[in-house]
Amino acid sequence: MKILIVGSGGREHALAWKAAQSPLASEVLVAPGNAGTAREAKIRNCPVEATDITALIGLARRERVDLTIVGPEAPLVAGIVDRFTEEGLACLGPTAAAARLEGSKSFAKAFLARHGIPTARHETFTDVAAATRYLKDHPGAHVVKADGLASGKGVVVAEDQATALAAATAMLNGEFGEAGRRIVIEERLIGVEASFIVLADGEDYVAFPTSEDHKRRDDGDRGPNTGGMGAFSPASAVNAALEIVIRREIIEPTLRGLRADGHHYRGFLYAGLMLTADGPKVLEYNCRFGDPETQPIMMRLRSDLVALAHAAVRGELAGATLKIDPQPALCVVLAAPGYPAAPRTGDAIAGLDAVDPDTKVFHAGTCETGGQVRSCGGRVLGVTGLGATLEEARAHVYHRLTTITLDGALYRRDIGRRPYGTHS
């Protein structure tokens, strides 16, 4: 089978790397890919942007692609699966209608309320005056979210009313363009975050190992929210009993609710959870694999990703099980200086060719010019490792980071060292 992975980040590098290990895969194409995917065996980059659906259809036809796996959210929300399906091309992911779970925070909140799935108290606003009145009537900590896609950055955790009001005003006045013309303001939940990702085929699903990510840029969960500065698997706060609760109270009602609303969801579904004293609650849905959660999960996955994806797109996951390496895995993101507000790009990266059997360097925002790998995005690399314990995996990763050089690079020194107390 010839496989096409759509996207260019660390998630896509990890998916392509795992797909290339499948005996079913003759070749893996990545559109557009990055400097890391270009260096992998059995993988070939194709210069087509992830949002150019017409060109991607042309690529899939020209290359006789058997299965396309979509990495990022933007093409899913734009209807890539609908378009591929109309053309008779197999494409793993939800339809545009189902992808509204990620594409619109207000849609997701209405879905959660309609189907009785636990989440934070919230309201939706389109004008500053109404948001101001609400915040004055509801003192305390809040989370302000742009309704649309904002690359993981349209969320402000506000400790006080003034911060919440400033965030709401900035979003509604165009800070995130159309994505912020509608906002959701919700109560700040107290607990520990965890990520629960499944692969669904419309009726059945398989669950990947649990994981936790770190959204804040700086150590101690401080600084601005980002697309993710690191992740580890399994989640320290999710035991076997709690996983049963998450499946029963969140994952299965979500898939039932989608079917009830007319959506036979096929693809990856990510539930971002807050584990509160009152039980797990949904913070957000993503309609694809998380980034950087994909990196440690793919390090642990021993099952054939291509076989799983092929079964899901055909509605044949019933009875499937996953083989998982029992060792924990951890990923630390190395980001460009100025990330997330104004990342500097174009800097040379050295030390990528070192051989280390305990780690894998997944590229995200990288490109290659004249034989030199350079930064070309905010999150540049995801250094990922396995270990007999989480602490051993951390040690492998942080040692590998000392061998990589990128001028002014940022990375957290405390990935995998939760809990701090409260997270949101």
Side-chain angles (χ1 to χ4, degrees):
M1 295 176 66
K2 187 176 284 190
I3 310 300
L4 171 61
I5 307 291
V6 175
S8 63
R11 166 184 49 230
E12 289 74 38
H13 187 178
L15 290 172
W17 171 76
K18 183 56 66 174
Q21 296 171 18
S22 169
L24 298 175
S26 57
E27 186 179 24
V28 178
L29 310 180
V30 189
N34 57 43
T37 52
R39 295 178 165 205
E40 296 280 2
K42 257 173 79 172
I43 297 177
R44 172 163 54 98
N45 286 352
C46 299
V48 178
E49 290 303 314
T51 52
D52 191 342
I53 297 174
T54 299
L56 289 167
I57 290 171
L59 173 65
R61 287 206 174 283
R62 188 167 60 253
E63 293 282 352
R64 299 184 182 276
V65 167
D66 296 290
L67 174 64
T68 297
I69 300 173
V70 184
E73 61 274 22
L76 291 168
V77 172
I80 186 172
V81 173
D82 308 72
R83 293 278 306 280
F84 268 60
T85 302
E86 288 167 5
E87 296 289 334
L89 298 167
C91 186
L92 180 64
T95 63
R100 285 182 294 171
L101 274 182
E102 179 168 8
S104 169
K105 299 292 191 302
S106 58
F107 176 87
K109 288 295 187 182
F111 174 89
L112 288 160
R114 186 163 64 250
H115 295 290
I117 301 167
T119 190
R121 185 185 67 244
H122 60 277
E123 294 288 344
T124 300
F125 302 93
T126 56
D127 69 272
V128 174
T132 301
R133 288 194 297 272
Y134 177 84
L135 288 168
K136 287 183 177 177
D137 290 342
H138 296 83
H142 292 85
V143 181
V144 183
K145 300 180 177 181
D147 182 65
L149 299 178
S151 301
K153 303 174 188 69
V155 177
V156 174
V157 180
E159 302 288 351
D160 53 55
Q161 189 180 83
T163 304
L165 181 56
T169 302
M171 289 182 191
L172 290 169
N173 285 337
E175 180 181 11
F176 295 106
E178 288 304 311
R181 297 300 182 187
R182 177 183 288 107
I183 65 171
V184 172
I185 300 177
E186 62 183 43
E187 64 173 326
R188 185 182 182 188
L189 297 175
I190 303 301
V192 177
E193 285 191 43
S195 304
F196 202 93
I197 302 170
V198 305
L199 174 61
D201 72 353
E203 296 290 338
D204 298 293
Y205 74 95
V206 291
F208 290 95
T210 60
S211 56
E212 292 184 38
D213 75 335
H214 299 249
K215 291 288 191 218
R216 299 292 193 97
R217 186 190 63 194
D218 304 328
D219 289 355
D221 277 354
R222 298 181 175 88
N225 259 17
T226 72
M229 294 299 292
F232 58 95
S233 173
S236 57
V238 181
N239 57 26
L242 183 54
E243 180 171 339
I244 291 171
V245 172
I246 291 168
R247 287 172 178 255
R248 184 182 66 236
E249 297 185 2
I250 292 174
I251 300 300
E252 289 160 15
T254 296
L255 294 173
R256 282 198 304 271
L258 285 162
R259 288 194 296 271
D261 291 350
H263 311 300
H264 279 67
Y265 191 104
R266 291 182 175 178
F268 302 115
L269 177 66
Y270 168 127
L273 307 175
M274 183 66 79
L275 309 178
T276 76
D278 297 323
K281 297 185 179 184
V282 176
L283 292 174
E284 64 176 356
Y285 288 114
N286 292 334
C287 292
R288 34 75 189 182
F289 240 109
D291 189 348
E293 294 97 329
T294 307
Q295 290 87 309
I297 291 174
M298 288 301 110
M299 286 284 281
R300 298 185 66 208
L301 183 65
R302 293 293 173 261
S303 295
D304 186 325
L305 179 65
V306 172
L308 287 167
H310 189 240
V313 83
R314 292 164 62 91
E316 298 174 353
L317 273 180
T321 57
L322 296 185
K323 295 178 182 177
I324 304 298
D325 192 318
Q327 295 185 101
L330 179 139
C331 172
V332 175
V333 169
L334 185 145
Y339 180 73
R344 188 178 78 206
T345 60
D347 290 316
I349 308 169
L352 295 173
D353 295 327
V355 177
D356 182 352
D358 298 311
T359 63
K360 172 70 179 176
V361 178
F362 293 110
H363 290 229
T366 65
C367 50
E368 189 167 346
T369 55
Q372 175 65 63
V373 177
R374 295 184 179 274
S375 61
C376 61
R379 291 186 295 173
V380 181
L381 303 170
V383 181
T384 308
L386 280 169
T389 64
L390 185 62
E391 200 57 36
E392 184 175 286
R394 287 187 79 257
H396 292 321
V397 169
Y398 281 102
H399 176 264
R400 183 72 177 90
L401 279 162
T402 65
T403 70
I404 298 172
T405 302
L406 173 64
D407 187 40
L410 309 171
Y411 64 87
R412 285 181 55 163
R413 271 72 175 176
D414 63 347
I415 301 299
R417 289 235 165 117
R418 277 182 170 166
Y420 299 109
T422 63
H423 310 288
S424 60

